[in-house]
Amino acid sequence: MTGPSDPLLEGVLAGLPGTAPRFPADRSGVAVLGAGTIAQSAHLPAYEKFGVGVRGVWSRDPARTSDLLERFPSVGRVYASADELLADPGVRFVDLATGPQGRLGWIARAVEAGKHVLAQKPVVATPEDLAALPALLERADAAGVRVAVNQNGRWAPPWRLTTELLRRGDVGEVVGVTHLLDKPLPPLVGTPFDDVDHMLLTDYLLHWVDVTRTWLATAPDGRGEVVAVRARDTRVPGQSAAARNPWSATVELETRGGATAVLRLVGDAVASTPSCPFWVHGTGGTLRGSVLLDSDRLSLDRGEGETDLPLAGAWFVGGFAATMGELMCAVAEDRQPENSAADAARSVALVLAAAASADRGGAPVAVGGAA
């Protein structure tokens, strides 16, 4: 292992943008539409921590906002209706923190109001909505409106630094990606998530699929495009009989150039030091790391020793600030955001293919430009 003053480490880090959220000079004009658990536990704390100006919040359930201004004094107001929020001329960005049902309708209303949108993930959850999304995004482009998705996992510090190193070619072309979720599952029985078909594949693992697709896509000439998905989800020993969904899932991705990825969730793992380790093997080296539960780490190994890389920040809540920051920067710089809805939709296509594969007993499902 190398130390923080090692010249090799300094060379690796030179020129990298870092893992902290990035914002333009003006980070004002955000309104949060939806005030459920994730909005109050992650979105609003992230905006408060990073000085994002929140003009107001609306929820269809007034009980959720009854004491919100006391708990988040930086929030300007509670809107009486969604119409009032969308009509506010001071709102430039709508953080759409509702569930995927009806998502396209909310995006359309925000676009018609001339507001940029950050939509919660998954941007859509059904094949029908996925097919309808491009037409809506064309309308947004014509209106000069940017639509991004809260794929906050991309800014988990170990994953973000991995992305930057892969884009720079520090381990050559990606050969394979491996993820293992070595941690307990969150409570699922009796929650709305357990009512979602193939929930682990289509929702829970979406962050892992999304960042993996991003890494594979760093290969040149389209060789990193995922062309086939295989997946299984199975019930496991010890799983609650009341659980509707299986507690184990495996996803395999295959690219046009032959690189592969495997995502493995073994079940409700018993672990005294839980973590989510990952490995990225390339033609010129290997990245090894972990995310979540105080396990954050990343090292670079190019065959001449392993270099531990310093990390700053955390997925929760920095990743939530970073997704809005990227949208704001994209608007200020007149470009599409990295987390654009069009890009995030490619990950949705993969998890929907994973569910279709599981329905077929793990048979491969072609995606992307595959014949």
Side-chain angles (χ1 to χ4, degrees), residues 164-179:
E164 299 295 350
L165 292 168
L166 293 176
R167 287 174 174 169
R168 201 172 65 175
D170 279 38
V171 296
E173 185 172 339
V174 175
V175 172
V177 177
T178 308
H179 291 276

Side-chain angles (χ1 to χ4, degrees), residues 340-364:
S340 70
D343 183 75
R346 297 185 180 98
S347 295
V348 173
L350 296 188
V351 297
L352 291 177
S357 174
D359 281 336
R360 302 174 193 177

